[in-house]
Amino acid sequence: MRQYVQVPTVEQEKAYDYNSAFEPRPCMCLGVCCCCAALRPRYKRLVDNIFPEDPKDGLVKADMEKLTFYAVSAPEKLDRIGAYLAERLSRDVVRHRYGYVLIAMEALDQLLMACHSQSIKPFVESFLHMVAKLLESGEPKLQVLGTNSFVKFANIEEDTPSYHRRYDFFVSRFSAMCHSCDPDPEIQNEIRIAGIRGIQGVVRKTVNDELRATIWEPQHMDKIVPSLLFNMQKIEDVDSRIGPPSSPTAGVKEENPSVLAENCFRELLGRATYGNMNNAVRPVFAHLDHHRLWDPNEFAVSCFKIIMYSIQAQYSHHVIQEILGHLDVRKKDSPRVRAGIIQVLLEAVAIAAKGSIGPTVLEVFNTLLKHLRISVEFELGDRHSSAESVTLSTSSKESDERIVQNAIIQTIGFFGSNLPDYQRSEIMMFIMSKVPVLGTTSSLDPSNLGDLGTRRIQIMLLRSLLMVTSGYKATTISNALPPPFLDPLLSPSLMEDSELRQLVLEVLHNLIDRHDNRAKLRGIRIIPDVSDLKIKREKISRQDVSFMKKHGQQLYRHIYLGCKEEDNVQKNFELLFTSLALTTIELANEEVVIDLIRLAIALQDVAIINEDNLPMFNRCGVMALVAAYLNFLSQMIAVPAFCQHVSKVIETRSVEAAYFLPETVFKDKCNLPKSLEKDEKDLYFLTNKIAESLGGSGYNVERLSVPYVPQVTDEDRLSRRKSIVDTVSIQVDILSGTGTEDKVDNTEEITFEALKKAIDNNGLEEQEKEKRRLVIEKFQKAPFEEIAAQCETKANLLHDRLAQILELTIR
């Protein structure tokens, strides 16, 4: 019986793959005739059946169910099913038969979701090969189709990881799609969204597997991170990126590539671990450098806010280290670029300070102080180079450097103010060690910059120190002002400039004021009723009493010398008044009160006698300072007789010499006297009157008769200022009772006192006690080198005398 062969149609002819090498075909019927269809493998027949004659009809669901059941029942056939589907899809892509391409991808997705056996690994390889084919095509619809399929695959959790599988091609292709520049805005937006979703799928598929960390390799991060940042730049509202991760609606995610890129970036950083954090952050710097986004730096700031909020808190110091390293790399760039990086560091530190900062505390401050010095060098270098011809560009450079310096100071201050107290005290010591002080060495030595460079660096560092000490509350004053910190802070070399003295006093206020009373004492004035200020105070502790015994003279000396500077302005006198008032509130017992009164009377004598030839404004300013302080002190200790004497002097001044009061002398137009009369005792505070008033209330007023003389330190010998001996000498011919009475013959007075003490045994005992106190004080506060030199001199003299005695004995 003759068998008739059916002639294939034109569509069947086109569908036939003549290059297929899977199995020989006996005829051209393409499996339509009964003899050839029976010879084809079952999986091919099932695959062919899911494709309708017209691709518009879509996937044949009944046949798809049969194919799915067959794949689940015979999982060993999955790899062949995948290979055959890949073969058909490749052929349809080349022939632009996109309807069949959609059907093939839909079938692959369903098979992928249905099968979860060990045999799915080869099928996945075929699937990824088909996705790659779609992504390589130049048709946007196919690229989006391939991306969607890959995202579905990425959301599938595999039972066992496949360590040999790599996603290098997908990372490169999705990154390229993120930079799509299609002329059609809608298509461009669609492709970019597909690229971002593809990157998100790669991240989700690979990032959770610790043994397959290839996604964190620099060659991948250098593609992924810039692609996301490129799309994040398109957000018009910068504020939308600031703060912790948000949860936009699904519609916004799909329509806006910027929001989608930001969420993908947050997810990537949230999955970063200790070992790969740096690889994820470094491409951010490269992108900001390449696109010049440090000036202006709004986008840079928002990026690092996203980074700091997205990463795990214990890794914050990694980001800070990377910013510091990049600041070192860009240290020769323009001031605005450096200022932009420092501003980013400030924002990062502000977020990191709330959590774990790690071991980078000193590194942050050291790097910032180093760049502070570099900025000062650049500023002064530009000034010197343009000394002959001043141009606008030079002034703009100097102002830009000031921006850098202010940014550094703000960063130092903010970082320091957020540290715990034990770390903040270390930072205070660290910054103070960098301040160039005459006679000491400093790592920020500005010797090559001259006096101007020294002053600039001193001011910058003291401003930084002021911000660090803001809000610092030490339990004891000795913790806030240890000797290694106090000595350089009160160094004479920091008193040569009015602004430096103001900064030093403000730092002292931050450290001494432990009950927030400084704001109530702002401005120098005669306070009618101190109780209205509601000053908070506690009983002085033993530790504070011990501190004042050891270091009180240093504080008095600094205030005393600060009042004698010719360049003092109103702010200096206000800060000096606040210093005296805070010392009274926080550190004053009966002994300290007597010392402070002695200091006030000595300042009054400085203004009256005027050995330093101070201007009349300074002399009147000192008198006003003494009046304001004694008025405050008398009300604080609440001794009626003392308050009465002070009030009487102030009332007399208000009538006869208003220029001795702060409300008058610090006005813009104040008529100052040509000279001060020493005989007008009613205008001055008298020591004998104060002694009488305090003695009746139980105070030990014997020391009030001894004029205050500041200590002479070794730094005074090294200081460039005039000799401290000339500065602080007080004439012994001034009567201790008034400080203003006529001079008396010094020899007679001293002889009388000497005879009196020689007769009185109690006087001899007091004299011995004073000698012992001076010896002890000398050994406590004198430099070791001086003590050693004196001991060596005495030892040499003793050795010489013993040698002479021995020589005489031998003779």
Side-chain angles (χ1 to χ4, degrees), residues 61-163:
K61 295 183 178 180
D63 293 323
M64 186 63 214
E65 292 176 359
K66 295 179 182 179
L67 178 61
T68 303
F69 178 77
Y70 176 76
V72 173
S73 303
E76 67 276 4
K77 299 292 185 179
L78 270 175
D79 57 337
R80 298 186 183 183
I81 294 173
Y84 185 56
L85 276 172
E87 175 191 352
R88 290 200 56 141
L89 184 136
S90 300
R91 182 175 64 230
D92 293 334
V93 170
V94 172
R95 296 179 179 179
H96 303 285
R97 301 172 64 179
Y98 300 137
Y100 288 116
V101 172
L102 295 175
I103 294 174
M105 291 307 301
E106 185 179 354
L108 283 169
D109 292 341
Q110 292 188 21
L111 288 174
L112 200 61
M113 298 296 293
C115 303
H116 293 282
S117 64
Q118 294 290 337
S119 302
I120 199 174
K121 297 294 183 288
F123 176 77
V124 170
E125 298 301 326
S126 300
F127 170 79
L128 294 178
H129 176 70
M130 285 183 280
V131 172
K133 284 286 185 182
L134 295 181
L135 296 178
E136 285 179 336
S137 67
E139 185 65 29
K141 292 182 179 180
L142 297 186
Q143 294 178 1
V144 174
L145 177 63
T147 302
N148 293 335
S149 296
F150 183 84
V151 171
K152 293 178 183 177
F153 162 71
N155 292 328
I156 297 176
E157 295 184 3
E158 301 183 45
D159 297 334
T160 56
S162 179
Y163 301 115

Side-chain angles (χ1 to χ4, degrees), residues 476-483 485-486 489 508 511-512 547 551 555:
T476 61
I477 196 65
S478 57
N479 293 336
L481 293 171
F485 177 79
L486 182 62
L489 181 65
L508 284 175
L511 298 174
I512 295 176
F547 173 84
H551 306 289
L555 295 176

Side-chain angles (χ1 to χ4, degrees), residues 359-561:
T360 61
V361 176
L362 287 180
E363 182 182 353
V364 170
F365 285 96
N366 194 31
T367 303
L368 290 174
L369 293 178
K370 179 180 68 176
H371 284 277
L372 184 62
R373 184 185 186 280
I374 292 173
S375 178
V376 173
E377 286 181 350
F378 285 159
E379 180 185 1
L380 297 179
D382 293 336
R383 184 178 300 176
H384 293 326
S385 63
S386 60
E388 297 180 356
S389 58
V390 180
T391 59
L392 292 176
S393 60
T394 302
S395 61
S396 63
K397 286 183 180 179
E398 291 182 5
S399 62
D400 290 345
E401 290 296 344
R402 295 293 177 93
I403 295 174
V404 175
Q405 295 162 14
N406 291 333
I408 293 175
I409 292 172
Q410 288 179 358
T411 305
I412 291 175
F414 191 88
F415 198 3
S417 61
N418 282 277
L419 293 174
D421 288 344
Y422 72 92
Q423 279 187 324
R424 202 189 305 195
S425 60
E426 295 178 0
I427 295 305
M428 289 159 47
M429 297 279 291
F430 181 76
I431 295 176
M432 199 64 227
S433 67
K434 303 293 184 180
V435 178
V437 176
L438 192 65
T440 63
T441 57
S442 172
S443 59
L444 294 179
D445 184 17
S447 56
N448 57 333
L449 299 178
D451 293 343
L452 183 60
T454 302
R455 179 183 177 276
R456 285 290 300 159
I457 290 181
Q458 286 177 334
I459 289 176
M460 294 294 106
L461 292 179
L462 287 177
R463 287 177 59 192
S464 304
L465 186 62
L466 179 63
M467 296 194 68
V468 172
T469 55
S470 178
Y472 181 63
K473 298 290 187 297
T475 53
T476 61
I477 196 65
S478 57
N479 293 336
L481 293 171
F485 177 79
L486 182 62
D487 295 341
L489 181 65
L490 302 182
S491 171
S493 65
L494 296 181
M495 297 185 65
E496 298 172 0
D497 182 86
S498 173
E499 187 176 357
L500 286 174
R501 295 196 301 275
Q502 293 174 10
L503 291 171
V504 170
L505 290 173
E506 289 176 348
V507 171
L508 284 175
H509 297 171
N510 284 343
L511 298 174
I512 295 176
D513 183 20
R514 290 171 290 179
H515 297 88
D516 299 324
N517 293 311
R518 181 175 44 176
K520 304 170 185 177
L521 302 169
R522 188 169 298 164
I524 180 171
R525 64 196 187 279
I526 302 296
I527 303 175
D529 189 357
V530 175
S531 61
D532 293 340
L533 300 180
K534 297 181 180 179
I535 291 176
K536 301 177 183 178
R537 63 184 306 190
E538 296 178 0
K539 184 179 179 180
I540 183 171
S541 63
R542 286 185 179 181
Q543 294 85 350
D544 292 346
V545 172
S546 176
F547 173 84
M548 290 304 292
K549 287 182 178 179
K550 292 181 180 179
H551 306 289
Q553 294 298 324
Q554 285 180 273
L555 295 176
Y556 306 151
R557 175 181 179 275
H558 186 80
I559 294 172
Y560 179 84
L561 297 181

Side-chain angles (χ1 to χ4, degrees), residues 480-674:
L481 293 171
F485 177 79
L486 182 62
D487 295 341
L489 181 65
L490 302 182
S491 171
S493 65
L494 296 181
M495 297 185 65
E496 298 172 0
D497 182 86
S498 173
E499 187 176 357
L500 286 174
R501 295 196 301 275
Q502 293 174 10
L503 291 171
V504 170
L505 290 173
E506 289 176 348
V507 171
L508 284 175
H509 297 171
N510 284 343
L511 298 174
I512 295 176
D513 183 20
R514 290 171 290 179
H515 297 88
D516 299 324
N517 293 311
R518 181 175 44 176
K520 304 170 185 177
L521 302 169
R522 188 169 298 164
I524 180 171
R525 64 196 187 279
I526 302 296
I527 303 175
D529 189 357
V530 175
S531 61
D532 293 340
L533 300 180
K534 297 181 180 179
I535 291 176
K536 301 177 183 178
R537 63 184 306 190
E538 296 178 0
K539 184 179 179 180
I540 183 171
S541 63
R542 286 185 179 181
Q543 294 85 350
D544 292 346
V545 172
S546 176
F547 173 84
M548 290 304 292
K549 287 182 178 179
K550 292 181 180 179
H551 306 289
Q553 294 298 324
Q554 285 180 273
L555 295 176
Y556 306 151
R557 175 181 179 275
H558 186 80
I559 294 172
Y560 179 84
L561 297 181
C563 291
K564 298 176 64 174
E565 296 293 338
E566 295 183 2
D567 58 344
N568 279 339
V569 294
Q570 180 179 351
K571 184 177 180 180
N572 291 88
F573 289 109
E574 291 177 352
L575 294 174
L576 288 166
F577 168 74
T578 306
S579 301
L580 290 168
L582 290 176
T583 304
T584 304
I585 296 171
E586 298 286 349
L587 304 171
N589 57 5
E590 291 186 3
E591 183 178 351
V592 174
V593 168
I594 298 299
D595 288 337
L596 290 171
I597 294 175
R598 291 174 59 213
L599 174 62
I601 297 301
L603 291 174
Q604 180 179 255
D605 293 340
V606 167
I608 296 172
I609 300 172
N610 195 26
E611 290 183 344
D612 300 281
N613 297 321
L614 295 175
M616 185 55 67
F617 169 78
N618 293 63
R619 298 172 67 184
C620 294
V622 171
M623 297 293 286
L625 169 64
V626 173
Y629 174 64
L630 289 180
N631 171 70
F632 175 82
L633 177 62
S634 63
Q635 296 185 55
M636 289 297 295
I637 63 177
V639 176
F642 185 28
C643 293
Q644 185 178 1
H645 172 63
V646 173
S647 300
K648 183 177 179 181
V649 174
I650 292 175
E651 290 176 3
T652 305
R653 288 186 178 185
S654 62
V655 176
E656 301 179 9
Y659 43 79
F660 282 167
L661 299 176
E663 289 81 0
T664 302
V665 70
F666 295 121
K667 288 183 178 179
D668 294 336
K669 296 180 180 180
C670 176
N671 296 324
L672 299 176
K674 296 182 179 180

Side-chain angles (χ1 to χ4, degrees), residues 144 147-152 154-155 174 178 190-204 228 253-254 260-261 264:
V144 174
T147 302
N148 293 335
S149 296
F150 183 84
V151 171
K152 293 178 183 177
N155 292 328
F174 288 138
C178 290
E190 189 177 4
I191 295 176
R192 288 187 179 183
I193 289 176
I196 297 169
R197 294 180 66 240
I199 289 178
Q200 194 172 27
V202 173
V203 171
R204 290 177 178 175
L228 298 176
K253 285 184 180 180
E254 295 296 331
L260 185 62
C264 182

